[in-house]
Amino acid sequence: RVRYNKLIDTTNTSFALASYQYASRSYSTFDDAMEPGQSYSFGKRKNDFSISIRQELYDYGNLNLSYSKTTFWDKKNESYASLNYDSSLFGYVNFSLGWSRVLESYRNTRAREDIYSATFSIPLSRFTGRKLNANMRYQIINERDNSVSNSLSLNGNAYENRLSWNISQGTNSRNHNNNRTSANASFKNSFGTVNGMYNYSPVSTQFGGGMNGSVILHEHGLTFGQPVYDSAALVDTNGESGIKITNKSGVQTDNNGYAVVTPLNTYRMNDISIKQAGLQSKSDFKQTVTSVVPT
């Protein structure tokens, strides 16, 4: 593997070059080996090469140009070129215009194929204020088979980022089996995260849900919390319930006055504080901020 990256400060130009050489025709990545029906002897990569240039145009957006080529041991090579421009309209409507060309491909006998795309992203909070923290994204793609794919999605969060959700609809002008409708949401609580999902297409329907979290056993009982990654702290408010933890969405002390705070940076100072705005007048705390170093 050989990689080279360069940033030219005077022109705000980023340059990246990468080359990968596979010394054996029997080599497989883990993902390739796990692919259903994958042959262990056919379609093995011999070399990957890519080059990309990104040019910042200051107030006029960014321009991206890339080229990639893959050679195989026993089948036709693949190569692609793409050009992308992204910017914003009126200071809040982000958009991206893209063009890519299939220069070589074993999937199609045509020498060259073009793919065009346009993406628009609008933060709806610009129109509704802070009551609705949501974004709308629309994308249209002219596919390799000359069909047109459209996708529209809405996503956002609420309740101090405790609730996150996403709804999307995708259609294809030629293959209606590729039409998709999906919705998913997750809600953070002191005892963990609850999530649900639903996907529909003309050929399949999926739905499901789940909950993940943690349980900590300590000298005063059990405390349920959000999933523990790396390390965690147990907060004790001496029996005060409903005390919220600063900068931890959905985390507050339970009926016994305990809460689990995670994640923390191991071997580094972590400040843990409680929100004073929600304290009752009868509550008395000697300190509302403490620092811990997990080891």
Side-chain angles (χ1 to χ4, degrees):
R1 179 178 68 182
V2 177
R3 294 188 298 180
Y4 176 77
N5 296 273
K6 176 66 176 178
L7 172 62
I8 305 174
D9 294 327
T10 55
T11 59
N12 280 336
T13 304
S14 300
F15 174 82
L17 176 70
S19 179
Y20 300 83
Q21 181 71 36
Y22 305 98
S24 168
R25 71 167 59 230
S26 61
Y27 173 80
S28 286
T29 65
F30 182 81
D31 290 337
D32 289 340
M34 294 298 100
E35 188 71 23
Q38 175 70 21
S39 171
Y40 289 96
S41 59
F42 179 74
K44 298 302 182 181
R45 297 184 180 187
K46 186 176 183 180
N47 176 267
D48 280 328
F49 173 82
S50 65
I51 182 173
S52 63
I53 300 175
R54 177 178 176 86
Q55 178 63 56
E56 293 187 16
L57 305 176
Y58 300 96
D59 295 336
Y60 299 98
N62 303 286
L63 190 65
N64 299 274
L65 177 65
S66 66
Y67 169 80
S68 63
K69 182 174 182 177
T70 300
T71 60
F72 298 87
W73 291 96
D74 47 16
K75 70 177 182 180
K76 187 178 179 181
N77 300 335
E78 292 184 341
S79 60
Y80 306 88
S82 66
L83 179 66
N84 182 272
Y85 173 74
D86 60 85
S87 185
S88 63
L89 295 172
F90 314 112
Y92 59 88
V93 179
N94 298 318
F95 73 92
S96 174
L97 303 176
W99 164 83
S100 63
R101 169 166 286 186
V102 182
L103 302 174
E104 298 175 278
S105 175
Y106 72 92
R107 296 185 180 92
N108 203 307
T109 56
R110 291 193 297 176
R112 294 179 177 178
E113 298 172 307
D114 293 316
I115 303 173
Y116 302 94
S117 65
T119 304
F120 299 88
S121 179
I122 304 174
L124 299 181
S125 55
R126 295 277 302 191
F127 308 99
T128 60
R130 297 186 177 273
K131 294 181 179 180
L132 179 62
N133 186 9
N135 294 280
M136 181 176 68
R137 183 177 184 270
Y138 171 74
Q139 184 179 56
I140 180 171
I141 301 176
N142 180 25
E143 304 282 6
R144 295 171 60 177
D145 59 357
N146 289 327
S147 65
V148 177
S149 295
N150 292 271
S151 64
L152 178 66
S153 64
L154 291 171
N155 65 82
N157 53 68
Y159 302 109
E160 299 179 342
N161 295 328
R162 295 174 61 188
L163 173 66
S164 60
W165 53 273
N166 180 76
I167 302 172
S168 64
Q169 173 69 52
T171 60
N172 185 274
S173 61
R174 176 169 295 183
N175 188 355
H176 298 295
N177 287 335
N178 289 334
N179 296 348
R180 293 287 187 272
T181 301
S182 66
N184 59 76
S186 65
F187 185 74
K188 292 182 179 180
N189 249 317
S190 293
F191 56 81
T193 302
V194 181
N195 57 76
M197 55 80 70
Y198 173 80
N199 293 323
Y200 171 79
S201 73
V203 294
S204 67
T205 300
Q206 297 175 317
F207 57 91
M211 181 176 68
N212 59 350
S214 62
V215 183
I216 291 183
L217 173 64
H218 52 93
E219 59 181 347
H220 297 291
L222 292 174
T223 299
F224 292 82
Q226 294 182 358
V228 173
Y229 300 105
D230 203 5
S231 61
L234 183 66
V235 173
D236 180 8
T237 58
N238 196 25
E240 292 285 348
S241 62
I243 304 299
K244 295 182 179 180
I245 308 301
T246 305
N247 297 328
K248 295 297 179 180
S249 177
V251 178
Q252 61 183 22
T253 56
D254 59 15
N255 293 333
N256 297 320
Y258 291 95
V260 178
V261 178
T262 184
L264 301 180
N265 294 317
T266 54
Y267 299 99
R268 287 174 174 81
M269 191 74 72
N270 295 263
D271 293 330
I272 300 176
S273 61
I274 60 176
K275 290 186 177 181
Q276 302 184 52
L279 299 180
Q280 301 179 6
S281 58
K282 64 179 182 179
S283 300
D284 182 22
F285 291 94
K286 295 181 180 180
Q287 66 181 85
T288 57
V289 181
T290 186
S291 298
V292 296
V293 181
T295 61

